[in-house]
Structures are given as structure tokens and as C-alpha cells.
Amino acid sequence: MNIDHIEAFMYVVHLNSFHKAAEAMFLSQPTVSARIKTLESELDSVLFERQGRGIILTEKGKAFIPFADQIIRTFHQGKQQLKTGSELEEITIGANIITSQYFIPFALPLWKKENPNLRFKFISATNDALMEKLLQKQVDIAFMKDITHSGLQNYKTLDNSIRLVVYPGHPFQLRTGLTVQELAMEPLVFFECGALDWNHVHKIFEVSNVEPRIDFQVDHLEVAKSLILSRSCIGFLPYLCIKKELEQGTLVEVDVSHLIKIKQHIYLTHLNHGVESPLLWKDILLSIRKFEKKHQQLPIQSN
């Protein structure tokens, strides 16, 4: 029985998609499908069934999960032990500033719990600095913005789209179809980071030939968020930093998709030919799902 086939099975289980599993493993979808088919042949059992455009686990597939997980875990623990000759192997994880502040403190304890024989070193840096550290092999994997480099591979993870948010009770809270002119009349806080996405925000006012009322211009996300929470202004902020407040109801998102859409994600990036543990990769994907579920379950406060 090939360990690669079992890992392909677990990726499909956790991502509920052959296509997403192929992306996560940096393989073609036919390769993943072939590995699953071979595994099913060896087990003499059907593990997945088609349901419309999706897939579902069979009962035998569900029963195989704990055994597959244990096989993979034991294999990689043994591999790490033989590689280092000691109990602890070190992995260096990097993240840009926003991921470091809002996701990493949640995720690191989970990764350590699932990988007790792994020592974690963490580095927080800018996206440019992280790319350099990856290429120089100073960082094994990094959470950062999307980049294009022939020496690096990346995988889309956390949603960090730019959203317009207001405080509860603001006149825009229940409004739809806001105009640029209406938006320009409100006191705004602009978080300046020099990224092209923020230039898009400026552009919606330039195109309509209106001057926005920018009462505050700051370079720190928490300062910008606090100003909105204090009811001093409204503003465009990245989703990762306001997710908790949106779920709690202390901030409210206003739909301005008819004016502007700024989709952006945090990507998990590593060297094309770097050494990267599929087991840790799986744990990272699971931690992201737990992080999202955690915030979804926060109680919504009434206004």
C-alpha cells in the first residue's frame, strides 16, 4: 500500500473535492483520481461516490479515515525521527503582519498539539521579506499575499477581501445601492499600506470626480478599526482584521459590490522543490477550517 495514495485519500476527505485536493498537493486531478482508484482496488472497497457535481464518503470510506490518519502520522513521525536523529525537528513558518496578528496565535497551538515532536519557529515580516526568506530557505512555509515567482508554489487559504464597515446604527447599515456621492460625504478612515488594492478604493472616487471626506489617514489596522468602533467614521478594512467584530455585531458590513469588489486572499507559499510535510499541510488546512468555524459560532450581539 503506497503512502501517497493514503495521503491523497485524506486530502480529498478534508477538502471534499478531488480538484481542491489536487491543488493542495500540487498534482493534476487525474493523478489524484488514479491514486484513489488504486487505493480502492487494494482495499477492495469504494471510498467515494459521486453526488451531482460533488462527492460523498461511503460508509467504508468513513470507517477507513482513522486508520489512514494513523498510518500517515506514524510514517511522518518515523521519517522525522530518522532524519534528525533526535526527538525534535524544527520547522520555520513565516506570515505577513495581518496573518501574524489575527490567525497565527490561534493556529500555532493546534499545530503543536498535532505535531508534538516538531519544534516551531515563527517569523513575522512583510510580503517582500517573506519571499526573500523563502527563496533563501530561511523559511519553510509562509502565509502571504499572492505572488508570482517561478521558484515558489502557493495555495489560496484565508479570505482577506476588503469590506466597507460601519458601526451599528449608522444610516448606511440597512441601505442598498449606495452612490459614490453619498459615500464621499461620510467621514472616512483610510488605512494606507501602499498596495494596489487600496488604490482601487481611491479610484472609485476619482472616476466619479468627487473628493472623499478622509478625516483620518492611518498606517495601523487596529487604529483604523478602533476609530470606526468609536463611531468617529466608517472605512474600508481587510476581512481578516474585522471578522470577529462582524460576527459579534460590533461592526456591520455594507454591501458596495455594485461600486467596487476587492477580492484578496492569504496564500500558503513554499519553494517548488522545498521540503514540506504533507502532514503539517493537512493540519494547516484543518486549522483554517476550525478558525472559520470558531468565528461563525460567536454570538451576535443585539443593537
Side-chain angles (χ1 to χ4, degrees), residues 171-179 182 254-256 258:
F172 286 176
Q173 180 173 351
L174 301 177
R175 284 289 310 278
T176 57
L178 279 174
T179 66
E182 289 175 310
V254 179
D255 181 14
V256 289
H258 59 291

Side-chain angles (χ1 to χ4, degrees), residues 84-108:
T84 62
S86 65
E87 287 191 1
L88 291 179
E89 180 185 5
E90 184 173 275
I91 184 169
T92 303
I93 297 174
N96 59 12
I97 307 304
I98 188 167
T99 314
S100 300
Q101 187 167 357
Y102 300 104
F103 174 68
I104 294 298
F106 170 85
L108 268 177

Side-chain angles (χ1 to χ4, degrees), residues 96 127 130-131 134 142-147 265-267 269:
N96 59 12
N127 289 285
L130 288 171
M131 183 174 73
L134 281 165
F143 290 86
M144 56 196 295
K145 282 192 173 182
D146 188 18
I147 58 169
H265 289 79
I266 301 298
Y267 285 74
T269 308

Side-chain angles (χ1 to χ4, degrees), residues 4-281:
D4 292 337
H5 299 164
I6 300 175
E7 286 181 339
F9 167 74
M10 290 303 291
Y11 272 104
V12 176
V13 168
H14 291 299
L15 295 174
N16 197 34
S17 165
F18 279 75
H19 175 69
K20 290 180 180 179
E23 284 187 341
M25 299 179 75
F26 300 104
L27 298 171
S28 67
Q29 186 169 328
T31 298
V32 172
S33 298
R35 290 183 179 184
I36 298 298
K37 187 173 182 179
T38 300
L39 181 62
E40 289 179 325
S41 178
E42 291 177 337
L43 294 172
D44 194 24
S45 301
V46 176
L47 302 175
F48 298 98
E49 290 180 345
R50 294 284 180 183
Q51 187 178 61
R53 294 186 176 182
I55 57 170
I56 58 171
L57 267 169
T58 63
E59 290 302 316
K60 289 188 176 181
K62 294 176 183 178
F64 185 61
I65 289 175
F67 299 102
D69 186 65
Q70 185 59 48
I71 290 170
I72 294 171
R73 194 170 301 279
T74 301
F75 173 78
H76 285 285
Q77 287 174 348
K79 185 178 178 181
Q80 290 170 3
Q81 180 75 14
L82 292 173
K83 180 180 176 181
T84 62
S86 65
E87 287 191 1
L88 291 179
E89 180 185 5
E90 184 173 275
I91 184 169
T92 303
I93 297 174
N96 59 12
I97 307 304
I98 188 167
T99 314
S100 300
Q101 187 167 357
Y102 300 104
F103 174 68
I104 294 298
F106 170 85
L108 268 177
L110 296 179
W111 301 337
K112 180 60 179 178
K113 182 179 179 181
E114 294 300 319
N115 301 271
N117 292 327
L118 199 59
R119 179 188 292 114
F120 290 87
K121 182 178 179 181
F122 175 72
I123 295 175
S124 180
T126 64
N127 289 285
D128 289 341
L130 288 171
M131 183 174 73
E132 293 247 345
K133 290 180 182 297
L134 281 165
L135 293 172
Q136 294 172 7
K137 299 184 179 180
Q138 297 174 359
V139 169
D140 297 303
I141 52 179
F143 290 86
M144 56 196 295
K145 282 192 173 182
D146 188 18
I147 58 169
T148 301
H149 192 286
S150 60
L152 299 174
Q153 290 276 10
N154 54 21
Y155 177 71
K156 186 188 296 183
T157 55
L158 295 160
D159 176 23
N160 197 35
S161 302
I162 306 301
R163 317 290 180 95
L164 174 63
V165 289
V166 302
Y167 49 85
H170 188 278
F172 286 176
Q173 180 173 351
L174 301 177
R175 284 289 310 278
T176 57
L178 279 174
T179 66
V180 176
Q181 289 74 18
E182 289 175 310
L183 191 55
M185 292 176 64
E186 287 294 312
L188 290 165
V189 57
F190 262 66
F191 167 69
E192 286 290 352
C193 64
L196 178 62
D197 289 335
W198 296 100
N199 292 333
H200 290 337
V201 176
H202 287 280
K203 199 71 176 176
I204 64 172
F205 297 105
E206 291 178 9
V207 169
S208 298
N209 198 27
V210 293
E211 189 72 24
R213 180 184 163 184
I214 303 175
D215 281 9
F216 307 97
Q217 189 165 323
V218 303
D219 65 355
H220 196 288
L221 281 171
E222 285 299 309
V223 173
K225 184 167 65 175
S226 295
L227 286 168
I228 301 173
L229 287 167
S230 71
R231 298 173 173 259
S232 300
C233 55
I234 65 175
F236 290 88
L237 292 178
Y239 183 49
L240 201 57
C241 91
I242 55 174
K243 188 169 188 176
K244 181 178 179 180
E245 287 77 12
L246 290 176
E247 296 292 345
Q248 290 176 325
T250 53
L251 287 177
V252 180
E253 181 182 354
V254 179
D255 181 14
V256 289
S257 56
H258 59 291
L259 299 177
I260 185 172
K261 291 181 181 179
I262 307 179
K263 297 291 186 183
Q264 63 181 27
H265 289 79
I266 301 298
Y267 285 74
L268 190 56
T269 308
H270 66 88
L271 281 173
N272 267 335
H273 304 293
V275 177
E276 181 239 326
S277 167
L279 179 62
L280 185 59
W281 188 276

